[in-house]
Amino acid sequence: MANEETIKEVGEFGLIERITGQLSMPASVSVGPGDDSAVFSVDGDAVVSTDMMVEDVHFRRDWCSGFDVGCKLIARSFADLEAMGATSRGCVVAISMPEELQAEWFKDFFQGVSAEVAKARAVLVGGDITSGEKIVATATVFGQMEGRAPVLRSGAKPRDVVALCGRQGWAAAGWATLSRGFRSPRAAVDAYRCPEVPYGAGRIAADAGANAMIDVSDGLIADLGHIAEKSNVLIDIDSSSLEIPGPLQNVGAALNSDPLNFVLTGGEDHPLVATFADYVPQGWAQIGRVLDPVEGSANVLVDGEEWETEYSGWTHF
Amino acid sequence: MANEETIKEVGEFGLIERITGQLSMPASVSVGPGDDSAVFSVDGDAVVSTDMMVEDVHFRRDWCSGFDVGCKLIARSFADLEAMGATSRGCVVAISMPEELQAEWFKDFFQGVSAEVAKARAVLVGGDITSGEKIVATATVFGQMEGRAPVLRSGAKPRDVVALCGRQGWAAAGWATLSRGFRSPRAAVDAYRCPEVPYGAGRIAADAGANAMIDVSDGLIADLGHIAEKSNVLIDIDSSSLEIPGPLQNVGAALNSDPLNFVLTGGEDHPLVATFADYVPQGWAQIGRVLDPVEGSANVLVDGEEWETEYSGWTHF
C-alpha cells in the first residue's frame, strides 16, 4: 500500500482484498471472511461481547496510531470474554472511515487488530467497511465456555477475598501524561495506547472457583462497584496491597497528584478483578475483601473509608 | 421516556436500564445483557456476521425514523445469516449517538431493533452505547447450522437454475421516490425504510440442496456477480421471469425510468438468490440459469446481453 493513497482510491473491495489475502483460518473455522457470514465450531456455550470506539471520544488520532486503535479495540473486547472465564475464539470488526483518510492508517489499524487477535489466541473471521465522517470501529468477539460455568458479576459472597490480575492505573497515568502535553514516561503512554490484557487469567480464575469477576474498564472502584451492586455486598480495598509502579509514581510526582488515584479510579487497563472463597490462583494478588452490605454506605471502600476524588470512573454522556 | 429528554440527560446507564428491563431471555441464553458478555448455547456450528450503518451514509434522519434505522440494521444483518442457510439465534448492537439527540429517537430505534429481532425469531443479548457526533450503529448477528452445511457463494454449477425469494427492486424505487422529494407510493418508501427479509427461506433453500446463495444487498446483477465470480460461472437472468409490481411501475412512470432497472440493480431489499441443481423449493421463483464461463464476457447477463445502466450496485468510497 503506497503511503499517499487514500481510502477512496483503494476502495472498499480493494481494502477487503488486501486484508483477506493475509488471513489464514484454522480448521475450526469452516467459512472465514469473503462470504455472507463466517462459520465456526464452538465447544460448549458460546460467549459474545461487542464494543465500539469512536474517534475523538475514545481516541485521538494525534495521540494514537492506527495500530494503537486496532490493538486497543480488540484488547478491550476480549477482556470482556476473559471476565466470564471464557476461552477466546474469534472476532468480527466493523469500521467507518472518511474517504480522505490515508490507506496507510487502515493498514496500520488492521495490523494492530491482527497482532492483538493473535495475542488473544483468536481469529478475525469477518468484518464490514464503510465510509463515515469519523473513524468508528466496532469489535464483536466470541469465545466458548468449554463446559465451565460463566463467572458473573453477581456471585460475590461476604468473606470472599478480592484479587487482581494484570496492570492497573497505567493507562490513566498515560492519559494524564498525554493530556499535559508530555510523551513520557513511555511505559505509561504505551499502556494508555494499548492495554496488556492478562489473557488466559479469566479461565484460570474460573477453574479456581472464582465467585464473581469483571474486567476493569472504568476504574477499580467503579467496576468493583458493579460487582458489589449485583452481588449485594460491600467491598473493602486494602490500599497497602496495591503496588504503585515506578512510572506511576513519576507521573504522580510530575503532575503533583497522588498516584494511588490512577490505580483506584483509572480505567482502560483491563486487568481482571475477581472474588474467591479461599484459594487465590497463581498470578492473582489479593487486594481486599468482601463484607456484608452496610445500609447508607458506599458499596466500595478503601481501607474502610469512602474514597474522595473528583474522578470516579468513565461514563458516557 | 418524556419526549423532551436528551440522550445526555438520560445517560448511558439510564438508557441501558430502560432497555434491559424490557428484555426477557429464553432458557438457551444463560447470560443476557448486564454482565461482561452474553452466554448462550449453539446447536452445531456457529454463524456470525457484522454490519454497520452510518448516519448520512446509510440513512438520513429526515427520511428514516429511529424505528426504521433499528429495523433495517437488524434485517440486513440477519439476511446475511439466511444467505448461509443458518437459523438465526441472537444479536448484539453497538451504537454511538450525539449527546443532544432526543432520547425518544433511541427509544424508537430500540423498538425497531426489538420488532425485527422478533421477526427473525432471535434475541438481543447485549450491546454497547457511546457518544459520537453522528449516529453509527453496528449489529452483529449469530445463528447456528444445526448440522446443515453452509451454502457458499462459490458452489454454483453450470446448468443450475437461479431462483429468487423475496421482494426485489422495492427499496430502490422507494429511494428514488424520496430522492425526488416525494413520499408516495408509500409501499415503495416503506420498503426502502425497512426491508422484508424472507426469514426461514435460507434454511429451506439449504435443505433443498442449494448449491450457492447470497442476499441481494447491492443489486441483483451485482450480487449474482459475486456468485458468478466465486463459482467461476456465467449467470444469465431471464428478464421475462421478473415480476414488476405495481408500485415499481408507478415510480418508473413518474420518474420516466425503466422499472426493470430497480429490480436488476437496486439494493437494500435483501431477498435471497440461490442456485439449485434441479428442485426449486416452494416460495422461490426461477429467474435465470447458470452457464459455463465465457472469456471476455461480463459474468452476469440479462437475456444473454450485458445490462447497460449508469448504476450497477452500491459501493463505498
Side-chain angles (χ1 to χ4, degrees), chain A residues 34 37 40 46 52 128 140 230, chain B residues 34 40 46 52 80 128 138 140 230:
Chain A
S37 305
F40 54 96
M52 182 180 263
D128 189 21
T140 306
K230 293 280 178 101
Chain B
F40 55 97
M52 182 181 264
D80 282 321
D128 189 21
T138 307
T140 307
K230 292 280 177 101

Side-chain angles (χ1 to χ4, degrees), chain A residues 7 10-17 128-130, chain B residues 314-317:
Chain A
I7 293 288
V10 180
E12 178 188 2
F13 293 110
L15 292 171
I16 292 171
E17 259 174 39
D128 189 21
I129 298 176
T130 175
Chain B
W314 171 263
T315 54
H316 280 293
F317 308 116

Side-chain angles (χ1 to χ4, degrees), chain A residues 30-31 35 37-39, chain B residues 45 47 83-86 145 147-153 206 210-211 213:
Chain A
S30 51
V31 182
D35 216 296
S37 305
V39 183
Chain B
D45 279 356
V47 188
M84 305 303 283
M145 290 311 302
R148 287 184 297 277
V151 184
L152 307 183
R153 299 177 178 184
N211 281 332
M213 185 156 50

Side-chain angles (χ1 to χ4, degrees), chain A residues 9-86:
Chain A
E9 284 160 357
V10 180
E12 178 188 2
F13 293 110
L15 292 171
I16 292 171
E17 259 174 39
R18 286 174 188 195
I19 289 174
T20 51
Q22 291 175 53
L23 295 173
S24 67
M25 295 293 128
S28 57
V29 179
S30 51
V31 182
D35 216 296
D36 295 288
S37 305
V39 183
F40 54 96
S41 64
V42 173
D43 179 0
D45 279 355
V47 188
V48 63
S49 185
T50 193
D51 206 46
M52 182 180 263
M53 284 177 70
V54 180
E55 183 180 355
D56 295 333
V57 176
H58 299 90
F59 65 92
R60 287 170 48 164
R61 260 199 269 162
D62 56 339
W63 284 8
C64 298
S65 68
F67 188 94
D68 296 333
V69 175
C71 161
K72 190 171 191 164
L73 175 71
I74 298 301
R76 52 192 274 162
S77 303
F78 276 117
D80 282 321
L81 291 196
E82 287 287 338
M84 304 303 281

Side-chain angles (χ1 to χ4, degrees), chain A residues 167-172 191-192 195-198 216-217 266-271:
Chain A
R167 304 197 307 189
Q168 171 54 20
W170 289 66
Y192 167 73
E196 275 186 17
V197 173
V216 182
S217 51
E268 301 205 273
D269 283 302
H270 302 281

Side-chain angles (χ1 to χ4, degrees), chain B residues 24-308:
Chain B
S24 67
M25 296 292 128
S28 57
V29 179
S30 50
V31 182
D35 216 296
D36 296 288
S37 305
V39 183
F40 55 97
S41 65
V42 174
D43 178 2
D45 279 356
V47 188
V48 64
S49 185
T50 194
D51 207 46
M52 182 181 264
M53 284 177 67
V54 179
E55 182 181 356
D56 295 334
V57 177
H58 299 89
F59 65 92
R60 287 169 51 162
R61 261 199 269 162
D62 55 340
W63 284 6
C64 298
S65 68
F67 188 95
D68 296 332
V69 175
C71 161
K72 189 170 191 164
L73 175 71
I74 298 301
R76 53 192 274 163
S77 302
F78 276 117
D80 282 321
L81 291 196
E82 288 287 339
M84 305 303 283
T87 300
S88 299
R89 285 295 313 282
C91 68
V92 291
V93 172
I95 186 167
S96 74
M97 295 173 287
E99 294 184 345
E100 65 279 9
L101 185 69
Q102 299 288 300
E104 191 68 20
W105 189 95
F106 177 72
K107 182 186 174 189
D108 212 26
F109 169 81
F110 172 67
Q111 285 178 343
V113 166
S114 298
E116 195 64 26
V117 165
K119 275 191 194 169
R121 298 176 178 269
V123 190
L124 178 68
V125 298
D128 189 21
I129 299 176
T130 175
S131 58
E133 274 175 47
K134 293 274 185 180
I135 298 170
V136 179
T138 307
T140 307
V141 296
F142 323 101
Q144 58 195 20
M145 290 311 302
E146 298 165 346
R148 287 184 297 277
V151 184
L152 307 183
R153 299 177 178 184
S154 54
K157 291 180 179 56
R159 281 161 297 284
D160 277 2
V161 299
V162 178
L164 178 74
C165 181
R167 303 197 308 190
Q168 170 55 18
W170 290 66
W175 183 86
T177 302
L178 288 165
S179 298
R180 302 294 180 97
F182 301 110
R183 299 264 162 171
S184 70
R186 182 63 186 265
V189 169
D190 284 350
Y192 166 74
R193 287 177 171 149
C194 187
E196 276 187 17
V197 173
Y199 291 118
R203 204 170 57 227
I204 289 169
D207 288 340
N211 281 332
M213 185 156 50
I214 194 168
D215 71 299
V216 182
S217 50
D218 295 339
L220 188 56
I221 292 174
D223 286 307
L224 280 175
H226 293 310
I227 287 184
E229 186 195 342
K230 292 280 177 101
S231 302
N232 190 32
V233 295
L234 177 71
I235 289 176
D236 190 27
I237 300 171
D238 171 14
S239 72
S240 71
S241 68
L242 295 170
E243 186 200 357
I244 311 287
L248 275 64
Q249 293 178 23
N250 295 344
V251 175
L255 305 183
N256 196 24
S257 158
D258 182 357
L260 187 58
N261 252 324
F262 298 139
V263 178
L264 290 171
T265 66
E268 301 206 90
D269 283 302
H270 303 280
L272 297 170
V273 64
T275 80
F276 299 88
D278 30 47
Y279 166 64
V280 174
Q282 200 170 10
W284 289 74
Q286 183 172 341
I287 61 161
R289 48 207 182 113
V290 181
L291 305 172
D292 288 306
V294 172
E295 186 89 25
S297 160
N299 57 16
V300 179
L301 304 177
V302 179
D303 306 327
E305 308 271 339
E306 203 165 332
W307 185 254
E308 301 285 351

Side-chain angles (χ1 to χ4, degrees), chain A residues 124-300:
Chain A
L124 178 68
V125 297
D128 189 21
I129 298 176
T130 175
S131 57
E133 274 176 47
K134 293 273 185 180
I135 298 170
V136 180
T138 306
T140 306
V141 295
F142 324 100
Q144 59 194 18
M145 290 310 302
E146 297 165 347
R148 286 183 297 276
V151 184
L152 306 182
R153 297 177 178 185
S154 54
K157 292 181 178 58
R159 281 161 297 285
D160 277 2
V161 298
V162 178
L164 179 75
C165 180
R167 304 197 307 189
Q168 171 54 20
W170 289 66
W175 183 85
T177 301
L178 288 164
S179 297
R180 303 294 180 96
F182 300 110
R183 299 266 161 168
S184 70
R186 182 64 186 264
V189 169
D190 283 351
Y192 167 73
R193 288 177 171 149
C194 187
E196 275 186 17
V197 173
Y199 290 117
R203 203 169 60 225
I204 289 169
D207 288 340
N211 281 330
M213 183 155 54
I214 196 169
D215 72 298
V216 182
S217 51
D218 296 339
L220 188 57
I221 292 174
D223 287 307
L224 281 175
H226 293 308
I227 287 185
E229 186 195 342
K230 293 280 178 101
S231 303
N232 190 31
V233 295
L234 177 71
I235 289 176
D236 190 27
I237 300 171
D238 171 14
S239 72
S240 71
S241 69
L242 294 170
E243 187 201 355
I244 312 287
L248 275 64
Q249 293 179 22
N250 295 345
V251 175
L255 304 183
N256 196 25
S257 155
D258 181 356
L260 187 58
N261 253 323
F262 299 138
V263 178
L264 289 171
T265 66
E268 301 205 273
D269 283 302
H270 302 281
L272 297 169
V273 63
T275 80
F276 299 89
D278 29 49
Y279 165 65
V280 173
Q282 201 172 8
W284 289 74
Q286 184 173 342
I287 61 160
R289 57 216 170 105
V290 181
L291 305 171
D292 288 306
V294 172
E295 186 91 25
S297 161
N299 59 15
V300 179

Side-chain angles (χ1 to χ4, degrees), chain A residues 107-129:
Chain A
K107 182 185 174 190
D108 212 26
F109 169 81
F110 173 67
Q111 286 179 342
V113 165
S114 299
E116 195 66 25
V117 165
K119 275 191 192 169
R121 295 175 179 271
V123 190
L124 178 68
V125 297
D128 189 21
I129 298 176

